[in-house]
Amino acid sequence: MIRRAPVTAVLAVVIVIALLSGCSHIFERPFADVPADLIPVFQAAAATYGVLSAAQLAAQARVESSFDPAAVSHAGARGMMQFLPTTWAEFGIDGSGDGRADPLEPRDAIVSAANYEAHLAEAVADLPGDRTSLVLAAYNAGPDAVRAAGGIPDFDETRAYVARVHDWAATYRDQL
């Protein structure tokens, strides 16, 4: 009769061997560089609106869509920055200069997100807490939810969203 080791014991041994052999990168979070052609767009949008840094805007695009300009959510949010049609109608900007504001065009979506975040920053300015986190929470849950909660609402999705954007921003800080 052959005795098999429990799966957790085998996994633990594999992890220890990998770490000892210098393969710790296997267990790191997958890294996705900011698309090089969009770096100046993130930088310009951050400089123009001054709410989020370029790294924070890029992190937001990573969390929202993994930089996919054609992304569409189950709720109907569209583009790299995941704008709902009603929000886009109010805050969409022609950042590409082609005469048309399109949420599927990254150069439009990025500058529009920065524009919208300037509006959100004003909407939550009198609330206590970290300004960036409040703006990110308002982008995710809506400014009314943030105001009603008196800060970041106790929604698992929103709290996770804010944390993920902060994590990716730290990752992108040196690239941007």
Side-chain angles (χ1 to χ4, degrees):
M1 176 169 160
I2 298 175
R3 228 177 122 168
R4 296 178 190 241
V7 173
T8 53
V10 172
L11 183 58
V13 169
V14 169
I15 290 171
V16 168
I17 291 169
L19 290 172
L20 291 174
S21 66
C23 296
S24 62
H25 66 279
I26 293 170
F27 302 103
E28 293 176 5
R29 155 175 82 169
F31 183 74
D33 280 339
V34 177
D37 62 319
L38 296 180
I39 290 174
V41 181
F42 286 116
Q43 291 170 332
T48 299
Y49 290 96
V51 176
L52 298 185
S53 70
Q56 290 165 331
L57 282 169
Q60 195 174 20
R62 170 64 172 84
V63 172
E64 288 287 352
S65 68
S66 294
F67 299 110
D68 180 1
V72 178
S73 77
H74 66 280
R78 300 176 64 217
M80 181 180 293
M81 301 306 284
Q82 290 291 281
F83 274 94
L84 289 169
T86 53
T87 307
W88 184 260
E90 187 172 352
F91 296 99
I93 293 174
D94 174 19
S96 65
D98 67 358
R100 188 181 103 136
D102 181 358
L104 301 179
E105 164 55 59
R107 293 171 295 170
D108 294 352
I110 293 165
V111 71
S112 297
N115 172 46
Y116 181 45
E117 285 157 346
H119 167 79
L120 295 173
E122 289 179 20
V124 300
D126 61 333
L127 297 176
D130 174 64
R131 176 179 176 213
T132 300
S133 295
L134 291 169
V135 169
L136 292 172
Y139 194 95
N140 179 262
D144 292 339
V146 174
R147 292 204 58 75
I152 298 173
D154 193 21
F155 304 152
D156 290 340
E157 176 188 335
T158 301
R159 290 189 179 279
Y161 175 83
V162 171
R164 288 180 63 213
V165 172
H166 282 304
D167 286 348
W168 279 107
T171 300
Y172 294 145
R173 197 164 288 124
D174 291 339
Q175 190 180 2
L176 293 159

